[in-house]
Amino acid sequence: MTISYNNLWKLLIDKNMSKSELIRKSKISTNAMARTGKNEDVRLDTLIKICGVLDCKIDDIVEYSID
């Protein structure tokens, strides 16, 4: 399975929010944010926290494909 968080980065730009600000507001770890930067698996509760701050759904920030 291939995961991409490119939509998350686009949404942050659209909302004029930095990664640091997202980490602080969503109360996620810097490690979790680093994992998104590497397109690695992230826990569902982390994605839910991010979506809560950005007022979006998970499929708005994550794309995946089954290889």
Side-chain angles (χ1 to χ4, degrees):
M1 180 165 55
T2 304
I3 298 173
S4 172
Y5 297 97
N6 288 338
N7 290 342
L8 170 60
W9 312 132
K10 291 174 188 173
L11 191 57
L12 284 176
I13 291 168
D14 291 345
K15 294 194 178 258
N16 197 27
M17 184 181 293
S18 69
K19 291 179 186 179
S20 299
E21 188 176 357
L22 179 60
I23 290 168
R24 185 176 43 78
K25 287 185 176 183
S26 61
K27 298 181 177 142
I28 62 171
S29 69
T30 54
N31 186 39
M33 184 56 71
R35 291 179 65 80
T36 61
K38 298 175 187 174
N39 290 324
E40 295 178 352
D41 292 341
V42 176
R43 292 173 46 134
L44 182 59
D45 66 323
T46 300
L47 296 175
I48 291 170
K49 289 177 184 178
I50 291 171
C51 288
V53 170
L54 297 176
D55 191 30
C56 66
K57 297 180 287 181
I58 290 175
D59 60 345
D60 293 332
I61 61 172
V62 179
E63 289 183 359
Y64 68 93
S65 62
I66 300 171
D67 298 335

